[in-house]
Amino acid sequence: MTDMSNSATSLKGTSRAFERPRYFPRQLITPDDMNLAQDYVRNRMRRHNRLLHGWGVVCGAIVQPGKDPWTVVIAPGFVLGPYGDEISIDQPVTFDVRLRCKPVQDSGGCPPSADPWCNEVADPAPTEGQALFVAVRYAEFPARPVRSSGCGCGGDECEYSRWRDGYEICVLDECPPSHVRADGQGEGGSRSNKPPVCECPTDPWVVLARVTAGRDGSLTVDTCACRRHVVSHAGEWWPCQDTQDG
C-alpha cells in the first residue's frame, strides 16, 4: 500500500526567493531579518502587479511641450513598471531632453543653484527632426541619514535610515521592443487559446511619449507613439440601487 503521507511530502518544494523570517521567543533579530521581512512582501506585490495586472501607464503621465526650448512637462500619473514596481508621479515634472536623464526623488526639492558648475550638464541638442522617446523607470533613493552608533569620540559616520521611492526620467533613442505588439496593433488586448507565458522583462522602461525636435528647440509631442497602457478598472462604478420591492 502506498504511503500517502510520504507521497504528499515528496511534492513539497522550497525556494529561497519566497523565504520569510519566522520569529520566536528570545530570538536574536538582526537587520537582515527585518529587511527580509520587507523584501518578502514587496516581492510578492511585484509579482502580483506584473503577472496579474501587467505593466504600463495606469493613468495620467501625459507629456506636453514645455514653455522653454527643449523641455517637456510630464503631468502627475501612476505607472506600473515592467518589474511590478509602482511609479507615482505626484506633481508636474519639467524635463529638459538634453539632460538625457533626470532622477526624481521627492516632491518639491531645492531650486537650481546659481552656480553653473553645480547644475546638471546638458548633452548637445538633438538634431532637427530627431525622434526621442521620453521614458520613466522606478528608482529608490536613500533618505534620512542618522549618526551611526558606535564606540569612540570621532563618530561622524552616518547611516541612511529610510529608502524613498522615486523614479528616473530619461530619453531613449528608439522604442523598446516590449512596447511593440507582435500583431502590429497599437492598442487593446487579444485573447489566445495558448496558455499564458510568464515572460521576464528585458528592460525597466515605460515609454510616455515620442518627441521630435525642431530647429529652434521646439518639441512636437506624440503621446500615443510607443506608449503602453495597462488595463485599470478604477474608473468603473455604478450607483447603489435598492432592488427590494416596497
Side-chain angles (χ1 to χ4, degrees), residues 38 140-146 159-165:
Q38 295 184 35
E140 60 183 12
F141 305 92
R144 297 196 183 186
V146 295
E159 288 283 353
Y160 290 98
S161 62
R162 300 286 191 273
W163 282 109
R164 178 172 297 164
D165 287 341

Side-chain angles (χ1 to χ4, degrees), residues 38-70:
Q38 295 184 35
D39 292 341
Y40 177 81
V41 175
R42 295 184 67 202
N43 289 333
R44 285 188 61 129
M45 291 180 62
R46 288 190 179 107
R47 286 190 296 270
H48 176 90
N49 289 338
R50 182 169 65 89
L51 298 178
L52 274 75
H53 299 292
W55 60 273
V57 179
V58 178
C59 61
I62 302 298
V63 181
Q64 295 180 340
K67 295 181 180 180
D68 298 325
W70 309 111

Side-chain angles (χ1 to χ4, degrees), residues 153-185:
C153 300
D156 294 331
E157 296 183 356
C158 289
E159 288 283 353
Y160 290 98
S161 62
R162 300 286 191 273
W163 282 109
R164 178 172 297 164
D165 287 341
Y167 52 91
E168 185 178 22
I169 300 171
C170 292
V171 289
L172 310 179
D173 294 324
E174 59 184 14
C175 181
S178 58
H179 289 62
V180 180
R181 285 168 48 106
D183 56 7
Q185 300 296 321

Side-chain angles (χ1 to χ4, degrees), residues 55-57 132-136 172-181 185-187 203 205-211 222-229:
W55 60 273
V57 179
L132 298 172
F133 298 88
V134 179
V136 64
L172 310 179
D173 294 324
E174 59 184 14
C175 181
S178 58
H179 289 62
V180 180
R181 285 168 48 106
Q185 300 296 321
E187 297 182 1
D203 59 71
W205 299 107
V206 179
V207 174
L208 303 179
R210 181 182 65 194
V211 298
D222 187 344
T223 302
C224 290
C226 190
R227 182 177 168 108
R228 175 173 175 149
H229 283 178

Side-chain angles (χ1 to χ4, degrees), residues 90-114:
D90 59 354
Q91 67 174 359
V93 178
T94 300
F95 174 60
D96 189 327
V97 298
R98 296 171 298 175
L99 296 177
R100 303 300 295 186
C101 286
K102 176 181 180 179
V104 182
Q105 300 188 34
D106 54 12
S107 301
C110 298
S113 171

